[in-house]
Amino acid sequence: MVTPGEIRDYQLADGDTRVSLLNLGCITRGWWVPKDGASVPVVLGYADPVRYLSDRIFTGVIAGRVANRIGGARFTLAGQEYRVTANEGLNQLHGGAGGLHARIWQAEPDGSRAVRFQYRSADGEEGFPGRADFEVIVTLEGARVTYDMRATVDRPTPINLTQHSYYTLGVERISLDAQFLCPADRYTPVDASLIPTGEIAPVEGTRHDFRAGAGFADKDPEGQGTDLNFAMPEGREMSDPVAEVWAPNSLRLRMWSDQPGLQVYTGHGMPRQVGAHEGQSFAPWNGLALEPQGYPDAVNQPGFPSVIVTPERPYRQVMSVEIAEGGS
């Protein structure tokens, strides 16, 4: 069990932009960007790092070993069934209650603009087979933060990481007011438990079509919210953003990723709680999670891109996020 005394805060700075990172869960605790002559927070976070020990919404973490959901908290690999820890009803979410987000990582600063985090996950941790060595390098360059995530394993095992910040872009109720642009031409429909059905369906003709850009509220007038995996087009240009977000009086976000999917969660189910950074509040719709990753429940869906990593084929994901003035 992690104790408060083990938590360390690491600060990155480039000009007037700064980022706070924790060795607990490789968490992005805060990100402050210049806006109208002031420094404003652009991701939700707790002012007191100790509050992350009781956080239940994966605020700012690196999620894994397998991000998103595993249906029934089980999967079969090479003819053997593995049961992983369930932490969302009968399913596993974001690697289980003791996943990467709940672990202390070794941290090594590299000057004022980068930190290298490392963590060794033992064979059987949270039910996953094999040992996995994780490394995440977080770099701040101007208005852009890059997460370079890697893993090596000693036997075949699933790995699917994601970075789980809730973006605010300097305003409240971002998910109700935001315009969203995303090139995804398909999505993975889900059942009542948010487990994919196995279908990869076109977005055309649905409320999930943001290829030309649209407001979340315009697409969802009933306020159902979105918690869904968007499938990136095959053969896309990796230099093109997978997401752009802006709102009245907000900063503008652009995100790049090499992953096949992007989980979009509008934060409509976020619980109200105290302890956020000054100028922020935890409440429904107040944070937008954009999570590049492999498809959810890919370990149980043969038609989805595989998330199985082997000693010969290590894991790597690179995502970059740029937040700057020029929103609307």
mmCIF file of all heavy atoms in Angstrom, residues 270-291:
data_model
loop_
_atom_site.group_PDB
_atom_site.id
_atom_site.type_symbol
_atom_site.label_atom_id
_atom_site.label_comp_id
_atom_site.label_asym_id
_atom_site.label_seq_id
_atom_site.Cartn_x
_atom_site.Cartn_y
_atom_site.Cartn_z
ATOM 1 N N MET A 270 -18.880 12.366 -13.706
ATOM 2 C CA MET A 270 -17.867 12.749 -12.722
ATOM 3 C C MET A 270 -18.518 13.150 -11.397
ATOM 4 O O MET A 270 -19.421 13.988 -11.374
ATOM 5 C CB MET A 270 -17.037 13.912 -13.258
ATOM 6 C CG MET A 270 -15.915 14.362 -12.339
ATOM 7 S SD MET A 270 -14.981 15.756 -13.021
ATOM 8 C CE MET A 270 -14.220 14.981 -14.459
ATOM 9 N N PRO A 271 -18.086 12.571 -10.278
ATOM 10 C CA PRO A 271 -18.673 12.944 -8.992
ATOM 11 C C PRO A 271 -18.221 14.332 -8.547
ATOM 12 O O PRO A 271 -17.111 14.772 -8.850
ATOM 13 C CB PRO A 271 -18.135 11.870 -8.042
ATOM 14 C CG PRO A 271 -16.850 11.434 -8.665
ATOM 15 C CD PRO A 271 -17.067 11.522 -10.148
ATOM 16 N N ARG A 272 -19.098 15.018 -7.840
ATOM 17 C CA ARG A 272 -18.726 16.310 -7.267
ATOM 18 C C ARG A 272 -17.850 16.072 -6.048
ATOM 19 O O ARG A 272 -18.176 15.254 -5.191
ATOM 20 C CB ARG A 272 -19.980 17.095 -6.864
ATOM 21 C CG ARG A 272 -20.862 17.470 -8.038
ATOM 22 C CD ARG A 272 -22.080 18.269 -7.607
ATOM 23 N NE ARG A 272 -22.938 18.565 -8.732
ATOM 24 C CZ ARG A 272 -22.787 19.593 -9.552
ATOM 25 N NH1 ARG A 272 -21.781 20.452 -9.344
ATOM 26 N NH2 ARG A 272 -23.603 19.784 -10.563
ATOM 27 N N GLN A 273 -16.724 16.773 -6.002
ATOM 28 C CA GLN A 273 -15.829 16.625 -4.866
ATOM 29 C C GLN A 273 -14.966 17.862 -4.743
ATOM 30 O O GLN A 273 -14.836 18.642 -5.700
ATOM 31 C CB GLN A 273 -14.970 15.363 -5.014
ATOM 32 C CG GLN A 273 -14.245 15.248 -6.333
ATOM 33 C CD GLN A 273 -13.609 13.881 -6.519
ATOM 34 O OE1 GLN A 273 -13.216 13.226 -5.568
ATOM 35 N NE2 GLN A 273 -13.505 13.429 -7.756
ATOM 36 N N VAL A 274 -14.395 18.045 -3.592
ATOM 37 C CA VAL A 274 -13.584 19.228 -3.321
ATOM 38 C C VAL A 274 -12.108 18.882 -3.495
ATOM 39 O O VAL A 274 -11.734 17.728 -3.677
ATOM 40 C CB VAL A 274 -13.846 19.754 -1.894
ATOM 41 C CG1 VAL A 274 -15.300 20.154 -1.737
ATOM 42 C CG2 VAL A 274 -13.469 18.697 -0.850
ATOM 43 N N GLY A 275 -11.272 19.923 -3.454
ATOM 44 C CA GLY A 275 -9.829 19.710 -3.455
ATOM 45 C C GLY A 275 -9.128 19.974 -4.765
ATOM 46 O O GLY A 275 -7.932 19.723 -4.888
ATOM 47 N N ALA A 276 -9.839 20.506 -5.766
ATOM 48 C CA ALA A 276 -9.214 20.772 -7.060
ATOM 49 C C ALA A 276 -8.292 21.982 -6.983
ATOM 50 O O ALA A 276 -8.318 22.757 -6.018
ATOM 51 C CB ALA A 276 -10.283 20.993 -8.118
ATOM 52 N N HIS A 277 -7.471 22.148 -8.021
ATOM 53 C CA HIS A 277 -6.630 23.338 -8.118
ATOM 54 C C HIS A 277 -7.506 24.598 -8.126
ATOM 55 O O HIS A 277 -8.684 24.560 -8.513
ATOM 56 C CB HIS A 277 -5.805 23.304 -9.412
ATOM 57 C CG HIS A 277 -4.802 22.209 -9.464
ATOM 58 N ND1 HIS A 277 -3.771 22.081 -8.557
ATOM 59 C CD2 HIS A 277 -4.649 21.176 -10.336
ATOM 60 C CE1 HIS A 277 -3.031 21.021 -8.860
ATOM 61 N NE2 HIS A 277 -3.554 20.455 -9.932
ATOM 62 N N GLU A 278 -6.918 25.702 -7.730
ATOM 63 C CA GLU A 278 -7.639 26.971 -7.729
ATOM 64 C C GLU A 278 -8.189 27.265 -9.127
ATOM 65 O O GLU A 278 -7.489 27.124 -10.129
ATOM 66 C CB GLU A 278 -6.712 28.104 -7.288
ATOM 67 C CG GLU A 278 -7.391 29.451 -7.185
ATOM 68 C CD GLU A 278 -6.458 30.545 -6.686
ATOM 69 O OE1 GLU A 278 -5.299 30.214 -6.345
ATOM 70 O OE2 GLU A 278 -6.888 31.709 -6.645
ATOM 71 N N GLY A 279 -9.446 27.655 -9.181
ATOM 72 C CA GLY A 279 -10.083 27.946 -10.464
ATOM 73 C C GLY A 279 -10.730 26.749 -11.108
ATOM 74 O O GLY A 279 -11.262 26.868 -12.218
ATOM 75 N N GLN A 280 -10.721 25.591 -10.440
ATOM 76 C CA GLN A 280 -11.303 24.379 -10.987
ATOM 77 C C GLN A 280 -12.302 23.784 -10.001
ATOM 78 O O GLN A 280 -12.311 24.126 -8.824
ATOM 79 C CB GLN A 280 -10.226 23.315 -11.257
ATOM 80 C CG GLN A 280 -9.223 23.647 -12.308
ATOM 81 C CD GLN A 280 -8.293 22.465 -12.564
ATOM 82 O OE1 GLN A 280 -8.014 21.662 -11.687
ATOM 83 N NE2 GLN A 280 -7.825 22.363 -13.790
ATOM 84 N N SER A 281 -13.120 22.857 -10.492
ATOM 85 C CA SER A 281 -13.979 22.066 -9.615
ATOM 86 C C SER A 281 -14.267 20.727 -10.271
ATOM 87 O O SER A 281 -14.384 20.638 -11.502
ATOM 88 C CB SER A 281 -15.295 22.799 -9.317
ATOM 89 O OG SER A 281 -16.026 23.049 -10.509
ATOM 90 N N PHE A 282 -14.347 19.692 -9.459
ATOM 91 C CA PHE A 282 -14.757 18.379 -9.933
ATOM 92 C C PHE A 282 -16.289 18.330 -9.932
ATOM 93 O O PHE A 282 -16.920 18.445 -8.875
ATOM 94 C CB PHE A 282 -14.211 17.282 -9.016
ATOM 95 C CG PHE A 282 -12.751 16.999 -9.194
ATOM 96 C CD1 PHE A 282 -11.805 17.654 -8.428
ATOM 97 C CD2 PHE A 282 -12.319 16.072 -10.132
ATOM 98 C CE1 PHE A 282 -10.454 17.397 -8.585
ATOM 99 C CE2 PHE A 282 -10.969 15.801 -10.301
ATOM 100 C CZ PHE A 282 -10.034 16.462 -9.530
ATOM 101 N N ALA A 283 -16.877 18.167 -11.095
ATOM 102 C CA ALA A 283 -18.332 18.111 -11.237
ATOM 103 C C ALA A 283 -18.645 17.560 -12.619
ATOM 104 O O ALA A 283 -17.793 17.565 -13.523
ATOM 105 C CB ALA A 283 -18.947 19.503 -11.061
ATOM 106 N N PRO A 284 -19.868 17.050 -12.833
ATOM 107 C CA PRO A 284 -20.232 16.518 -14.150
ATOM 108 C C PRO A 284 -19.972 17.524 -15.260
ATOM 109 O O PRO A 284 -20.231 18.716 -15.104
ATOM 110 C CB PRO A 284 -21.724 16.217 -14.003
ATOM 111 C CG PRO A 284 -21.904 15.933 -12.546
ATOM 112 C CD PRO A 284 -20.964 16.869 -11.849
ATOM 113 N N TRP A 285 -19.410 17.032 -16.362
ATOM 114 C CA TRP A 285 -19.124 17.789 -17.583
ATOM 115 C C TRP A 285 -17.930 18.729 -17.450
ATOM 116 O O TRP A 285 -17.603 19.431 -18.406
ATOM 117 C CB TRP A 285 -20.344 18.592 -18.054
ATOM 118 C CG TRP A 285 -21.599 17.796 -18.198
ATOM 119 C CD1 TRP A 285 -22.626 17.723 -17.305
ATOM 120 C CD2 TRP A 285 -21.970 16.959 -19.297
ATOM 121 N NE1 TRP A 285 -23.625 16.899 -17.783
ATOM 122 C CE2 TRP A 285 -23.247 16.421 -19.007
ATOM 123 C CE3 TRP A 285 -21.356 16.620 -20.505
ATOM 124 C CZ2 TRP A 285 -23.906 15.553 -19.866
ATOM 125 C CZ3 TRP A 285 -22.019 15.757 -21.362
ATOM 126 C CH2 TRP A 285 -23.273 15.237 -21.047
ATOM 127 N N ASN A 286 -17.246 18.753 -16.307
ATOM 128 C CA ASN A 286 -16.162 19.715 -16.100
ATOM 129 C C ASN A 286 -14.801 19.225 -16.578
ATOM 130 O O ASN A 286 -13.815 19.931 -16.407
ATOM 131 C CB ASN A 286 -16.067 20.092 -14.614
ATOM 132 C CG ASN A 286 -17.018 21.216 -14.250
ATOM 133 O OD1 ASN A 286 -17.907 21.559 -15.029
ATOM 134 N ND2 ASN A 286 -16.852 21.783 -13.069
ATOM 135 N N GLY A 287 -14.735 18.040 -17.141
ATOM 136 C CA GLY A 287 -13.481 17.548 -17.686
ATOM 137 C C GLY A 287 -13.739 16.604 -18.845
ATOM 138 O O GLY A 287 -14.663 15.785 -18.789
ATOM 139 N N LEU A 288 -12.941 16.731 -19.896
ATOM 140 C CA LEU A 288 -13.075 15.898 -21.092
ATOM 141 C C LEU A 288 -11.866 14.984 -21.194
ATOM 142 O O LEU A 288 -10.729 15.453 -21.337
ATOM 143 C CB LEU A 288 -13.180 16.782 -22.338
ATOM 144 C CG LEU A 288 -13.181 16.073 -23.687
ATOM 145 C CD1 LEU A 288 -14.423 15.195 -23.852
ATOM 146 C CD2 LEU A 288 -13.093 17.080 -24.825
ATOM 147 N N ALA A 289 -12.086 13.674 -21.111
ATOM 148 C CA ALA A 289 -10.994 12.704 -21.237
ATOM 149 C C ALA A 289 -10.873 12.258 -22.686
ATOM 150 O O ALA A 289 -11.853 11.817 -23.292
ATOM 151 C CB ALA A 289 -11.240 11.499 -20.336
ATOM 152 N N LEU A 290 -9.686 12.385 -23.232
ATOM 153 C CA LEU A 290 -9.352 11.921 -24.578
ATOM 154 C C LEU A 290 -8.206 10.932 -24.426
ATOM 155 O O LEU A 290 -7.090 11.332 -24.095
ATOM 156 C CB LEU A 290 -8.941 13.095 -25.468
ATOM 157 C CG LEU A 290 -9.965 14.228 -25.610
ATOM 158 C CD1 LEU A 290 -9.340 15.422 -26.329
ATOM 159 C CD2 LEU A 290 -11.195 13.737 -26.376
ATOM 160 N N GLU A 291 -8.480 9.649 -24.662
ATOM 161 C CA GLU A 291 -7.566 8.584 -24.265
ATOM 162 C C GLU A 291 -7.132 7.741 -25.474
ATOM 163 O O GLU A 291 -7.795 6.763 -25.831
ATOM 164 C CB GLU A 291 -8.250 7.676 -23.247
ATOM 165 C CG GLU A 291 -8.911 8.401 -22.092
ATOM 166 C CD GLU A 291 -9.931 7.545 -21.376
ATOM 167 O OE1 GLU A 291 -9.657 6.339 -21.162
ATOM 168 O OE2 GLU A 291 -11.022 8.052 -21.061
#
